[in-house]
Amino acid sequence: DDSSRFGKFIELQFRPSTGGASGAVQTGLSGESLRLCGARIRHYLLEKVRVCEQQEGERNYHIFYEACAAAASLKFDRKEYHFPQVLSKDKVKEDMVIDLEGFGELTNYAFLTRSTCKTLKDVDDIEMFERRINAMATIGIKKEDVAEVLHMIAAVLNLGNTK
């Protein structure tokens, strides 16, 4: 579970409750004559360094291992993953062919070999990969955009191999 790796910054926005020519939101104000008029939540990653470094006994981000497991399951150096293979077809939003170019055996990636922890007990990385793909489809992410997300993830993994 990666939930502890993310944070939220909540910015409260106030407006003077009396008059004010424009009635615009102002910053740097304090006092009882202010009225809460809005808020903005910013999400941010707490552990950016986690991509490049892991402590012994920890894995990097799960999607790296999941996509590599899916790619490694393909035969004859193929890179087209026919989704779903593990999940039942009646439980997925849509079938799709996923290009896993850039992914392979996880031992080929420096970012995934900094710890001896490669698998998690009772976790099937291919099943979790399919669940993640299905979740993206379920919330309305188009398959073309899913492919682009995976290409960016593969790019990050491959950048870790540059010297």
Side-chain angles (χ1 to χ4, degrees):
D1 182 10
D2 292 332
S3 62
S4 65
R5 296 184 184 134
F6 296 89
K8 292 182 184 178
F9 174 76
I10 302 173
E11 176 184 67
L12 300 177
Q13 300 167 338
F14 294 91
R15 176 174 303 171
S17 60
T18 56
S22 68
V25 174
Q26 299 177 21
T27 59
L29 300 174
S30 62
E32 294 178 17
S33 64
L34 298 177
R35 185 172 172 191
L36 181 64
C37 65
R40 179 172 45 184
I41 299 175
R42 295 182 187 209
H43 298 269
Y44 58 92
L45 181 60
L46 296 173
E47 294 185 281
K48 292 180 183 175
V49 73
R50 188 168 194 86
V51 171
C52 327
E53 300 292 332
Q54 297 82 50
Q55 294 180 1
E56 179 53 43
E58 290 189 356
R59 293 197 334 167
N60 205 316
Y61 290 101
H62 300 303
I63 186 64
F64 293 154
Y65 299 91
E66 295 164 1
C68 284
S73 74
L74 301 174
K75 296 182 187 313
F76 310 115
D77 291 328
R78 299 176 100 181
K79 294 299 177 184
E80 292 180 340
Y81 186 90
H82 293 269
F83 168 82
Q85 292 184 25
V86 176
L87 298 179
S88 172
K89 287 187 182 243
D90 63 325
K91 298 205 178 196
V92 300
K93 181 147 174 81
E94 68 177 302
D95 294 4
M96 61 179 89
V97 176
I98 301 168
D99 177 14
L100 292 179
E101 185 70 41
F103 294 103
E105 285 291 334
L106 63 92
T107 55
N108 295 335
Y109 303 98
F111 285 164
L112 304 182
T113 58
R114 302 230 162 93
S115 168
T116 57
C117 183
K118 307 288 187 251
T119 59
L120 297 174
K121 184 180 180 199
D122 299 325
V123 174
D124 177 346
D125 282 326
I126 297 173
E127 178 185 349
M128 296 309 293
F129 174 75
E130 289 197 357
R131 287 178 180 271
R132 194 170 310 274
I133 297 301
N134 192 49
M136 287 191 268
T138 299
I139 64 170
I141 298 175
K142 295 182 283 186
K143 55 185 162 186
E144 296 82 12
D145 294 333
V146 169
E148 290 305 314
V149 167
L150 291 170
H151 289 147
M152 294 306 295
I153 292 169
V156 170
L157 272 181
N158 284 282
L159 278 172
N161 290 344
T162 59
K163 305 247 188 240

